[in-house]
Amino acid sequence: MAAFEAPASPLEHTLIATLFDGSQVGAAIEELRQAGLGDKLDSWVSTGENLPLTADELTKALGPSIERIALVIGSSADEVAQKVAAVLPATVDTMSPNGELPS
């Protein structure tokens, strides 16, 4: 499992809380799978190396969520996508220490 560092900025806290507040995990995961990112998602859940995620891939998968977060925090959708793409693999990895996502 990759080392996980706590988010350093309020932006990162907001991103994680908004996308993964407990009720949204399953929906976001399903959107990622439907967008063709299942192989990356599987790498984050497994005990092996995490495949990277690009901001473009994330925007294609979760565009409306990214735009809402950007609006709420007064940032650009591009910046939000970059931040989320950077922390999402480690976040999902940390949420699935035994190779299973929470239900």
Side-chain angles (χ1 to χ4, degrees):
M1 176 163 56
F4 178 73
E5 296 179 20
S9 72
L11 171 60
E12 290 170 336
H13 284 284
T14 301
L15 297 174
I16 292 169
T18 302
L19 288 174
F20 297 101
D21 68 357
S23 64
Q24 300 300 317
V25 174
I29 298 279
E30 186 56 33
E31 286 183 56
L32 292 172
R33 283 203 188 282
Q34 288 179 2
L37 299 173
D39 58 335
K40 292 186 182 214
L41 181 62
D42 291 342
S43 78
W44 309 337
V45 174
S46 74
T47 56
E49 185 176 336
N50 293 333
L51 294 176
L53 178 67
T54 68
D56 286 340
E57 291 170 324
L58 186 67
T59 298
K60 287 178 186 172
L62 301 176
S65 294
I66 299 299
E67 291 173 14
R68 279 193 305 276
I69 294 168
L71 224 106
V72 167
I73 64 173
S75 185
S76 74
D78 288 339
E79 181 183 358
V80 170
Q82 289 171 3
K83 290 284 190 177
V84 174
V87 300
L88 191 57
T91 301
V92 172
D93 189 30
T94 301
M95 292 172 61
S96 57
N98 298 318
E100 294 181 24
L101 286 166
S103 50

